[in-house]
Structure formats: C-alpha cells, structure tokens
Amino acid sequence: MDDLMPDQDLNRDQIIRLLSADGVHEKEQIFSRACEIKKVHTGEKIVVRGLIELSNICRKNCLYCGVRKENHSVHRYEIPDAEVLEVVKKAMEEGYTSLVIQSGERTDQVFIHRIERLLRKIQVMTGHGMRITLSCGEQSPETYRRWADSGAHRYLLRIETTNRDLFRSIHPRDGSHLYDSRIRALQDLKEAGYLVGTGVMIGLPGQTIEDLANDLLFIKDFSIDMVGMGPYIEHEKTPLFAERDRLWPAEKRLEKSLLMIAVLRLLMKNINIASSTALDVLSPKGRAMAFHAGANVLMPNITPVRYREDYLIYQGKPVLLEATELITRISSELPDGSRIDLADWGDSRRSSMPAFC
Ligand code: 5AD
Ligand code: SF4
C-alpha cells in the first residue's frame, strides 16, 4: 500500500483508508510496517507497568462503565495503604520499576490527601526507584501539581472520543461530564509537568471510521506521550447496554482496535502504546496481537485478586489471571526478537524527563 511508505506524514484520507483495510494481506502489511517502525523507534523491549486498582469509588456516572456511581450492585472498596505498600513491595521484589495507580474519580480532600500520602510512602519505600503513573480522573490544576510534587510522574486520562456529539451521547448531561473539561484537564496535566497519556474507546455505538481517524489526529496534535486505547465492551448494568444492537460485532471491534494501534504507530513512531486488557475479552490472544500491531507496553493487573471482581468496568474482564502467568503467556506470543523488560522505566524516547525523577 502506498500509504505505508516510510517517513510519510499521513493525512486524514490516508488514515481513513488504512483504518478501513479489510483484506487479510492488506492488514498484515499495515501490522508488519507498524511493528518494524516500533522496533526501530522504541527498540525490541516491551515495557511493563503493574496496575493497581486502588478503589472503585467514583463520583461519575459514565453511561458505559460498570463501576459508575449509580450501579448500586457494585460493592465499593478502597485498598488500605498498608496493603497497597505490600503489593508495591512484592512488585519491587519481582523486578517491577513502573506502576499505575488507577481509581474511580473522587475530588474530595480526603482522597486528594490520601493519594498524596500514598505517593510519598511509595517513593520512600522504593528509594524513588518506582515510576508512578496515576489514573484518577479529572482533578484541579492544584491537585495535579500536588500529586506531581509527591512523586507521580505520568498521568493517564482518556478523552474517550473526540467526537463531541458522541461524547455527549455516552455521558450524562449533568454538567460534570463535559468534553471541554476533559480537554482542559489534559492541558492542566501537561502544565503540571506530567508525561501525559490519553486514549479512546473503539467501537462505541454510532462511532464511525472517520471518528476514529479524528481521534488519531487529535492524539498526534496533542503531542501525547503514551496512549491506551481499546475496544468498547458492553456491560449489562449500564445505560449504554440498551444500544448493544448497534455495535460492530466483536471481531470487527478487535480488528479496528488493532488497526488503530498500528496506524497510531505509523503516525507517532516513538511513543508508548499500551496493549489494553479489553482486547483479551474479544479474543484470547487479543493483547498478544496488539504487540504484533505496534504496541509496546503491557499492564499486568497486580491488584490483590479479592478486589478485582469489584472493578468490572466492562463484562468479561479477566480477574483471575495472575501477572506472572500473563507475562509468561505474552512472552511466548511476542513478535520475534521482542522481549519483556521489567527493569525498563519505559519512558518513551519522546520524553525528555531527567532520569532521576
Ligand atoms: N468498555 C471498554 N472500556 C471502558 N472503560 C470504561 N468502561 C468501558 C467499557 N464498557 C474505559 C474508559 C475509561 C477507562 C478507565 O476504562 O476508557 O477511561
Ligand atoms: Fe468513573 Fe472512570 Fe467509570 Fe467514568 S469511566 S464512571 S470516571 S471509573
């Protein structure tokens, strides 16, 4: 395909054409080109970030999410600091050097202070040897600064979709789920000095290939450092479940998710692109396939198993799979030459943060 020529800046039409690829051979060409580019620009290493799902308490009500505030069938939990520190200690002993702390969104002072204290404790315990990514939703610029000062390096906040109408259709219209606030938050994060990650869901009801192309262009223009995007998976205890008849079939959602990863790699050669857990819901090899399509980050869930059932943002999320088992399995399914590297902090070659932070 002409669109796959090296070092060519893809325009919107070309992106749409690549995302529309249908033939097996055509898709294989795109994936292998993305994989080549990944090798040249990020190396052979797959970097790892251990994911801790700190709490499922959330003030928001996103229409697609299983842990939304109004899903009263969810048992709410918060993992106490001491238990988090045990998880971090074990992760450190196993060689992890990078963690993601994810939680439902809370903006109360108790939560803000809690995260601040927890970050400091982790930094002290690990001798500042752990890179920490936060994923705790939209916060004020001051909160972002405080958490950065306490030891968070990166922040993940998905835009979910850059189609404003679609964004409105998947969120309640209550004034606290606004597209502009999400954009503002992403800008605030940059200003607070984080390496910023974002992402979208793929295969939302009513979403088009044109929307997905615009998402990729947004990510490129926003000069993002890392991206986590994956398929939308329906959850029966959410309002968006009513729209399930309008969804692309699972196979198409998987295929378009892999194409999104590949085309993003063609557009942004040296960023970090995660292989999202949701891919495994659509195919047992979903996450492994992402590494053949240009992804370079694996995020094993290291949350204690007894909490995992309560963090079901979508149905079918693997809750029993142990991180070591996942790493062993994925290692045997990687492209030739690739290897998982726990010791690498995984700062993308794009980032310019000094190594000591
Ligand atoms: N399917 C796929 N991803 C989802 N998320 C939330 N609900 C779903 C779902 N039903 C993703 C959103 C959110 C992240 C925490 O999880 O992109 O930002
Ligand atoms: Fe809360 Fe995030 Fe789920 Fe929205 S997607 S309800 S902010 S956990």
Side-chain angles (χ1 to χ4, degrees), residues 101-119:
I101 297 178
Q102 186 168 60
S103 152
E105 185 176 301
R106 275 177 60 185
T107 50
D108 55 283
Q109 288 303 313
V110 173
F111 181 73
I112 294 167
H113 285 295
R114 195 226 156 161
I115 296 291
E116 211 172 346
R117 274 196 315 273
L118 182 61
L119 288 166

Side-chain angles (χ1 to χ4, degrees), residues 137-152:
E138 288 174 32
Q139 303 288 340
S140 69
E142 196 212 331
T143 301
Y144 287 147
R145 269 195 303 276
R146 277 167 59 176
W147 289 349
D149 288 346
S150 311

Side-chain angles (χ1 to χ4, degrees), residues 37-204:
I37 290 178
K38 170 176 69 164
K39 258 188 210 169
V40 174
H41 293 269
T42 74
E44 301 269 25
K45 288 183 211 169
I46 302 299
V47 298
V48 179
R49 311 205 192 295
L51 173 68
I52 303 175
E53 293 164 337
L54 182 71
S55 168
N56 64 357
I57 302 172
C58 187
R59 72 189 190 103
K60 286 225 170 129
N61 244 327
C62 305
L63 303 181
Y64 44 84
C65 175
V67 303
R68 63 198 300 274
K69 186 177 164 192
E70 279 171 20
N71 183 359
H72 298 295
S73 61
V74 172
H75 165 256
R76 303 288 163 175
Y77 73 86
E78 232 184 311
I79 310 182
D81 278 11
E83 205 173 342
V84 177
L85 291 174
E86 267 171 42
V87 173
V88 174
K89 185 160 173 276
K90 182 162 173 271
M92 199 168 61
E93 286 162 3
E94 287 173 5
Y96 284 81
T97 51
S98 186
L99 297 176
V100 179
I101 297 178
Q102 186 168 60
S103 152
E105 185 176 301
R106 275 177 60 185
T107 50
D108 55 283
Q109 288 303 313
V110 173
F111 181 73
I112 294 167
H113 285 295
R114 195 226 156 161
I115 296 291
E116 211 172 346
R117 274 196 315 273
L118 182 61
L119 288 166
R120 291 187 192 279
K121 286 183 194 168
I122 293 174
Q123 291 301 358
V124 169
M125 195 182 82
T126 62
H128 297 261
M130 209 47 107
R131 277 280 206 232
I132 301 178
T133 303
L134 286 180
S135 179
C136 303
E138 288 174 32
Q139 303 288 340
S140 69
E142 196 212 331
T143 301
Y144 287 147
R145 269 195 303 276
R146 277 167 59 176
W147 289 349
D149 288 346
S150 311
H153 306 103
R154 307 187 177 91
Y155 204 102
L156 269 175
L157 181 68
R158 287 186 177 184
I159 187 72
E160 315 297 0
T161 171
T162 57
N163 177 329
R164 285 171 179 267
D165 292 334
L166 184 57
F167 188 97
R168 262 194 298 275
S169 77
I170 61 169
H171 291 102
R173 295 171 195 210
D174 61 359
S176 57
H177 297 74
L178 299 174
Y179 183 82
D180 287 330
S181 312
R182 189 65 61 96
I183 297 280
R184 181 71 253 162
L186 285 166
Q187 270 153 357
D188 291 340
L189 283 164
K190 266 197 195 173
E191 279 159 31
Y194 288 90
L195 298 175
V196 179
T198 194
V200 294
M201 284 180 286
I202 297 154
L204 288 162

Side-chain angles (χ1 to χ4, degrees), residues 227-350:
V227 175
M229 53 187 178
Y232 162 68
I233 314 278
E234 58 275 40
H235 187 302
E236 66 183 358
K237 295 264 167 57
T238 63
L240 211 61
F241 192 66
E243 306 285 318
R244 64 192 177 285
D245 294 341
R246 297 171 63 211
L247 294 176
W248 291 337
E251 203 176 298
K252 180 163 173 185
R253 270 180 277 162
L254 173 66
E255 180 188 302
K256 295 303 173 201
S257 300
L258 296 172
L259 282 169
M260 282 287 280
I261 289 173
V263 179
L264 179 63
R265 179 59 73 198
L266 304 183
L267 285 169
M268 300 184 80
K269 300 183 170 48
N270 57 6
I271 61 165
N272 281 321
I273 305 179
S275 168
S276 80
T277 311
L279 289 164
D280 272 357
V281 179
L282 300 183
S283 156
K285 293 209 171 179
R287 262 192 283 190
M289 288 159 98
F291 295 111
H292 292 259
N296 70 320
V297 179
L298 178 67
M299 288 168 52
N301 194 346
I302 59 170
T303 309
V305 172
R306 69 195 168 97
Y307 295 108
R308 293 191 199 171
E309 277 286 352
D310 297 322
Y311 210 94
L312 280 196
I313 47 186
Y314 46 81
Q315 275 169 317
K317 188 166 166 247
V319 286
L320 292 175
L321 185 62
E322 279 304 344
T324 45
E325 217 179 297
L326 173 74
I327 290 175
T328 309
R329 195 188 79 199
I330 297 282
S331 295
S332 69
E333 295 167 347
L334 288 175
D336 286 345
S338 285
R339 62 184 191 286
I340 287 181
D341 189 343
L342 282 166
D344 193 306
W345 270 351
D347 287 349
S348 73
R349 291 190 186 166
R350 173 184 190 86

